[in-house]
Amino acid sequence: MRVQIGSVVVETGNVAAKRTAPSLLPRRPASFTGREEELAEIVAQAQGELPPSVICLSGRPGVGKTALALEAAHRLRGAYPDGHLFAEVGTHSGRQRLTTADVLERFLVALDVAPARIPAKLEERSVLLRAVTRDRRVLLVVDDVVAAEDLALLSASPGCLLLATSRRALAGPGILGFALDGLRRHEAVALLTGAGADPEAAPVIADACGLLPLALRIAAARLALDPGLRAADLAEVLAEPDARLPALSSGMGDRAVRASFGYSYRALDAGARRFFRLLAALPLADVTAESAAVLTGADDAAERLRALADLHLLDVRDGHRGPRYRTHDLVALFCRELLGDEGRDAADRTAAWYAARTLEVHTALETGADPTEARHWYREEWDNLLAAGLRLRDRGLADPLWTLVRAVETDLDVHSPWSGWERLHRWGIEVFTRHGQWERARAMHERLALALREGMRMTEAFAEVRAMRALLPVDRRAAGDADADNTEGDLRRDEGDTRGALRLYLRAHPVLAARGDPGTTAWSLHGIADTLSALGHHRHALRLRAAELAAFRRAGDGFGMAWAHQGAAEAHLGLGDAEAAETALRAALRQFAELGTFKSEGWALERLAEVVLRDGREEEALVSLTVALRSYEARGNLGDQARALLRIGDIAHGRGRTAEAAALWRTAQARLAGLDGGRVESIADGLRSRLGGLTDAEADVILASGSR
C-alpha cells in the first residue's frame, strides 16, 4: 500500500492486516496528589467537541510534568481504545537522548509496522505514523520534547492525541499548552500529611520545598520509609538552606532534586551556565535586565533572561519598567553550590550597586522629581534592598551600607515597611560600631529613636537615646551632646515633661545653630516652639514659627515648611484664633500634597477635624478623620490610628450610633497593644472611660445588634 501526504510517498505494506492495541504506558503514579484542576481541564479538552491534536505540559525541573502526564493518560485510556504509547526522550541517568526518529520507530513497531518497512527519513516516518493511525484512536505520550517541530512530527492522525511534556513552552498549530507551577499550598500539605506529617510540620516542610512536587514527593517518601524520622525533625533540617538540597537528594539517585536540576543545567552552553549560576550569587527576590547585567557582567542580559525563562528555569512576571525574573528557591540553592569566588565578587558588586542606585532614586525624589518612578522602585526593589543590606552587613562594607541606609530614610510616600527599615538600621549600627564609625552609628540610633517615638514605643525610644549618648567619644563629652539632647527633648515633650524638654532644647540649640545648616537650625526651633506652645507661651511660639519657616525655606525643606505651618496652627488655637489655625493647617496640607507625602498628612488632618468640629462642621470633621486614619494606616502608626478611631467613635456616639461607636473604640484598644508611653496611656484612659460610661440601655442595644 502506497501513501502520499504532500510530496512524501511512503510504501507501507499491509499495515492494516494486524490491528493490536498496544499499551506501553508506565504504571500510574503512586499516591498522586493534587493537580485536580489541571487534570479536569486536560480531560475536558481531550474529550471536547474540537479536541487539540497535541497537549503539551511545560514547567521547570521537578515540577511534576511527567507524573501529571501519566496520571492524565491513565484517566484518558478508555477514550483511546486502539493503543497507549509512551516514550521518554530524555533521561536523568546520562543515557543518550532519543531522537524524534527513534521515537517514531518505536511507535511504528508497537503499531505492528515491520521494522524492515519503516523508512529511514524522518518525514517519511511521520507520514507513516499518521497513515497507520488513520481511523484509530491512539493516545501517544512523549516525555521531554525539545522543540515544537518535534511535536508536529510526532502527531498522529485526527482522533488521536499526543500528550507531551517539555522543559520549555512550545507553541504551534493544534498545540494546547499548560504551563505548570508548584502545587497549591493545600495540595502540598495534603501530600505530606498523607505520608504521616503532622499538621504543624507539614506547612513548614511544604514551604521549604518551595511547593515543588519532586521535592515534596522526596520529603514524603523519607517520612513514609523512615518510621524514626519525625516530621518536625525533617522540617528543622529543611529550614537550614545549606542542608536543604542534601536532604532532598541524598540516596535518591537520578530521582534527586539536585539530579533533576543538574540535567537541565548541563543542557545549557558554558556561557548560559555561568550566567545562570551568577543570578544566584546574591539572594535577590527577583532581577531585571539591569540588575542581572550587574550581577553577571553580561551585556546581553535581557536576551539571556528570556532564554532561561523559555526553559522554565526562571519565572517571569510583568514589572513597572519591564519583565522581572525570579529563580525558584531550590534552583537558587543548586546554583549557589556551584559558585566560587566569582559568586562572592558578583554579590559584593551588586549589593554596592543597589546602594548607589537607590541613593540616585532617593536624591531625585528629594529634589522634586516626579515621585511615581521612585515609588515603583522602592516597592518593586524593597526585598532586594534588604538582601543587599544583609550582604553589606555580612561583608562589613561600611560605606555602601551607609549609602543604602541614607537612601531609605525619607518621609515621602515610598514603600519602606518598618520591620525591614529597622533591620537595615540595626545592621548599620553593627557595622559602623565595628569599624569605629561612631557618628554613623549614632545617626542610626537617632533615627531609630525618632521612629520608635512616632510609633509610641517610648521605652525603646529612650533606650536608643541612651545608646546614642554612650557612643559619644570621651573627648567630646565635656561639650555636651546636642544631637542626643534634641532627640531626647522630642521624647520628653511627647511624654508631657515639657519643662525638661525645653531645657534640653535650649541646651542643644546654640550648638546645632552654630553648624550653619539652616535645616538643622529650623528643626531645633521647631522643638522649642512646640514646647512653648505646650507651656502656654503661644505668642513667643508664633514668633519662633516665623523664624523656623524662614530657615526651612532657606534649606529648601518643603516637608519642614509643612510642619512649621502645622505648628503655627497650634499657637493660633492657643490664642483662640480658630480661623488662623484652619488657614495654617490647610497651608500645611497643601504643602504635603505638593510633596506627595500622604503618609504625613494624618496629623494635620486630625487637628483640622478638631478645628472644624468646634465650628459645628461635623460631617467635614468626619471626612478629615477618616482620611487621617488612612494616612496613619499607610504609615503603620498604630497609636495614631487608635486616636483617630476614638474620635470617629465619638462622632458616631453623638449621632446615636452606639454599637458602631463601641466597635470603633474596641478596635482602637486593640491597636494600642504593645505600645507604651504617656500618649498611649492618655488614649487608653479615654477609651476605657468611654466604654465604661456606656449606659445599660446603650449596652443592651449593642448586645442586641451583635445577636442579629
Side-chain angles (χ1 to χ4, degrees):
M1 175 173 140
R2 295 169 63 83
V3 174
Q4 179 172 349
I5 299 181
S7 60
V8 180
V9 179
V10 178
E11 180 67 46
T12 66
N14 188 15
V15 296
K18 284 197 321 183
R19 290 178 64 106
T20 60
S23 184
L24 305 182
L25 286 181
R27 286 180 301 175
R28 196 170 199 155
S31 305
F32 186 89
T33 303
R35 302 287 195 201
E36 287 302 324
E37 290 183 22
E38 291 88 343
L39 282 165
E41 181 65 15
I42 291 169
V43 171
Q45 290 289 344
Q47 297 180 342
E49 290 186 8
L50 296 172
S53 57
V54 180
I55 294 178
C56 185
L57 314 180
S58 62
R60 71 170 59 87
V63 82
K65 302 180 292 294
T66 305
L68 178 58
L70 288 175
E71 178 66 21
H74 278 276
R75 295 192 185 193
L76 288 166
R77 285 173 62 127
Y80 297 92
D82 298 320
H84 316 115
L85 307 180
F86 177 83
E88 182 183 17
V89 176
T91 176
H92 293 202
S93 62
R95 174 180 58 78
Q96 186 174 359
R97 291 179 59 88
L98 295 179
T99 66
T100 303
D102 295 333
V103 175
L104 286 167
E105 181 177 12
R106 291 188 179 194
F107 285 176
L108 290 169
V109 170
L111 291 167
D112 299 322
V113 177
R117 294 194 175 274
I118 296 176
K121 292 183 178 180
L122 179 62
E123 293 79 6
E124 293 180 358
R125 290 185 179 187
S126 178
V127 168
L128 183 56
L129 176 66
R130 290 195 288 279
V132 299
T133 55
R134 185 177 296 161
D135 300 325
R136 301 173 75 176
R137 291 186 61 78
V138 179
L139 176 63
L140 306 90
V141 182
V142 184
D143 190 29
D144 202 16
V145 175
V146 172
E149 49 267 32
D150 295 329
L151 294 178
L153 291 166
L154 291 166
S155 299
S157 64
C160 300
L161 174 66
L162 171 60
L163 182 55
T165 72
S166 178
R167 301 200 175 205
R168 66 172 72 229
L170 303 179
I175 300 174
L176 176 64
F178 284 80
L180 303 182
D181 203 346
L183 291 184
R184 297 167 185 84
R185 197 164 188 265
H186 71 274
E187 295 174 336
V189 170
L191 189 156
L192 293 165
T193 52
D198 57 88
E200 291 76 24
V204 179
I205 297 172
D207 291 341
C209 291
L211 305 180
L212 191 70
L214 175 61
L216 291 163
R217 288 200 300 274
I218 291 172
R222 291 196 60 180
L223 291 171
L225 297 174
D226 186 353
L229 178 62
R230 297 188 312 134
D233 295 334
L234 180 58
E236 186 176 348
V237 170
L238 293 175
E240 294 296 326
D242 290 343
R244 199 170 301 161
L245 274 184
L248 297 171
S249 300
S250 179
M252 300 304 297
D254 62 5
R255 294 175 297 159
V257 170
R258 192 184 279 127
S260 179
F261 296 162
Y263 174 65
S264 289
Y265 174 76
R266 289 189 299 274
L268 302 173
D269 63 49
R273 288 198 295 269
R274 179 182 181 277
F275 182 86
F276 188 42
R277 287 195 307 271
L278 286 173
L279 289 179
L282 186 65
L284 299 172
D286 53 17
V287 298
T288 62
E290 184 182 24
S291 57
V294 177
L295 257 174
T296 65
D299 295 332
D300 57 347
E303 291 77 8
R304 290 186 179 276
L305 288 168
R306 283 195 294 270
L308 290 171
D310 187 49
L311 290 168
H312 288 288
L313 291 172
L314 296 176
D315 296 327
V316 61
R317 67 175 179 85
D318 290 333
H320 174 62
R321 297 293 297 274
R324 303 185 70 87
Y325 298 87
R326 176 185 175 273
T327 309
H328 188 277
D329 291 346
L330 291 177
V331 178
L333 288 173
F334 168 81
C335 290
R336 228 162 275 145
E337 287 184 342
L338 304 174
L339 284 169
D341 290 344
E342 61 177 358
R344 181 196 62 200
D345 297 340
D348 291 349
R349 177 176 65 247
T350 306
W353 174 82
Y354 261 109
R357 182 73 182 90
T358 308
L359 184 59
E360 288 177 14
V361 175
H362 175 270
T363 301
L365 190 63
E366 294 286 314
T367 53
D370 181 357
T372 304
E373 292 299 319
R375 287 173 181 154
H376 281 297
W377 167 267
Y378 280 96
R379 181 166 296 280
E380 290 190 331
E381 298 289 356
W382 181 254
D383 289 340
N384 292 335
L385 301 188
L386 295 182
L390 181 59
R391 177 69 184 187
L392 297 172
R393 192 278 313 256
D394 290 345
R395 297 280 291 157
L397 300 174
D399 288 346
L401 183 55
W402 172 249
T403 298
L404 180 60
V405 177
R406 281 191 300 156
V408 299
E409 175 62 24
T410 179
D411 287 297
L412 301 181
D413 290 352
V414 296
H415 186 73
S416 54
W418 163 253
S419 60
W421 189 93
E422 181 184 19
R423 286 203 301 277
L424 283 169
H425 284 71
R426 299 286 179 207
W427 295 338
I429 291 169
E430 180 183 334
V431 173
F432 304 147
T433 303
R434 192 191 317 157
H435 284 268
Q437 297 177 354
W438 312 119
E439 286 307 314
R440 287 180 173 181
R442 279 165 48 79
M444 299 295 97
H445 284 298
E446 181 180 17
R447 291 175 178 179
L448 284 165
L450 294 173
L452 289 163
R453 166 213 173 203
E454 182 183 313
M456 298 188 193
R457 291 162 57 180
M458 300 304 290
T459 300
E460 296 170 78
F462 277 109
E464 294 299 330
V465 174
R466 289 193 296 273
M468 187 179 173
R469 292 189 187 281
L471 288 174
L472 185 69
V474 175
D475 60 350
R476 288 174 47 195
R477 291 182 183 177
D481 190 343
D483 295 300
D485 285 345
N486 203 60
T487 303
E488 187 175 342
D490 290 342
L491 272 58
R492 289 193 178 280
R493 187 184 78 232
D494 286 349
E495 289 297 276
D497 182 8
T498 49
R499 295 193 179 278
L502 185 59
R503 282 194 300 272
L504 288 165
Y505 284 141
L506 293 175
R507 188 166 73 188
H509 180 70
V511 178
L512 298 176
R515 294 177 182 173
D517 175 22
T520 301
T521 301
W523 283 112
S524 176
L525 290 171
H526 183 82
I528 297 171
D530 275 355
T531 309
L532 289 174
S533 279
L535 290 168
H537 303 304
H538 301 298
R539 295 192 187 280
H540 292 301
L542 266 181
R543 286 197 291 273
L544 279 182
R545 293 300 182 193
E548 172 193 342
L549 186 58
F552 277 131
R553 282 201 181 97
R554 290 197 302 276
D557 187 344
F559 184 76
M561 290 165 61
W563 276 99
H565 286 304
Q566 191 167 325
E570 295 295 328
H572 286 305
L573 282 173
L575 293 169
D577 191 345
E579 184 177 349
E582 182 175 348
T583 299
L585 287 167
R586 294 196 184 280
L589 288 168
R590 282 195 301 274
Q591 187 72 47
F592 284 134
E594 288 175 11
L595 294 169
T597 56
F598 173 69
K599 289 195 296 186
S600 299
E601 292 180 17
W603 296 287
L605 285 163
E606 190 177 358
R607 201 67 171 125
L608 180 63
E610 294 179 47
V611 173
V612 300
L613 199 55
R614 294 182 188 184
D615 196 31
R617 291 139 63 187
E618 187 178 84
E619 192 60 37
E620 189 177 342
L622 181 59
V623 170
S624 290
L625 285 170
T626 302
V627 179
L629 177 60
R630 290 207 306 269
S631 173
Y632 295 145
E633 288 171 341
R635 202 172 182 93
N637 288 3
L638 296 173
D640 291 320
Q641 292 171 39
R643 191 179 57 245
L645 286 164
L646 180 151
R647 289 171 170 164
I648 295 171
D650 285 347
I651 292 176
H653 187 259
R655 293 177 170 183
R657 299 205 295 264
T658 306
E660 179 184 338
L664 288 163
W665 291 336
R666 290 196 179 97
T667 301
Q669 281 185 322
R671 300 279 166 95
L672 294 177
L675 309 183
D676 66 87
R679 289 172 296 166
V680 174
E681 292 171 8
S682 175
I683 299 168
D685 287 345
L687 290 167
R688 279 193 294 270
S689 104
R690 284 163 172 78
L691 288 166
L694 293 173
T695 65
D696 290 342
E698 288 174 327
D700 289 342
V701 169
I702 295 169
L703 288 172
S705 66
S707 63
R708 285 198 292 269

